[in-house]
Amino acid sequence: EPFWFSGLFFLLPLIAGNTIRGSGARRLSSSDSDSSCPLPSRFYETAINSQFHGEIGGWDRNPIASNGVGIGESSGNCLMLPGQRRFGCIVTLEFPNEGNLMLQGFESSRANVDMTLGIVGGTGCHEGKTGSYRVRANSRFNKMTYTLD
């Protein structure tokens, strides 16, 4: 097999990824007035459907609310990093009739510590949005606060 042939398969995903992504991304903020579905600047996740076993944690359909009103659900998983006091996490926020928002980053294994999750993707009217949320767990790890940076 010629070297150039295997190299083509290595480069193809990079070329296709840059072409598909395009330049339509825009920075999300709490005052994003031209957004057809702005995200709340602060909301809470209640951990009622979460399970942690050793160094792996997962949850599905935890309710999220803003100002006491349900706005959607959160699903995801975290893996405790070796030698660290933090988790590597992937989170999907589901907003009915709007779409999903995918977050990724680190969360602390200690309570009341701010960590940052970056917006890595979105569907529906959240497609192309970028930015990050600061996330903080309460002392019982049953309520997460998300604040838009």
Side-chain angles (χ1 to χ4, degrees), residues 25-41:
R26 58 190 167 83
R27 179 89 180 144
L28 176 66
S29 71
S30 58
S31 61
D32 192 2
S33 60
D34 56 89
S35 177
S36 61
C37 57
L39 293 175
S41 59

Side-chain angles (χ1 to χ4, degrees), residues 45-91:
E45 173 185 343
T46 305
I48 60 170
N49 299 315
S50 303
Q51 293 185 359
F52 279 81
H53 297 286
E55 298 176 341
I56 299 174
W59 63 97
D60 188 34
R61 304 182 75 179
N62 278 344
I64 55 178
S66 178
N67 297 320
V69 177
I71 60 172
E73 297 175 331
S74 170
S75 300
N77 61 69
C78 293
L79 177 65
M80 176 67 84
L81 300 173
Q84 302 289 326
R85 297 217 16 109
R86 63 184 183 165
F87 293 96
C89 299
I90 299 171
V91 179

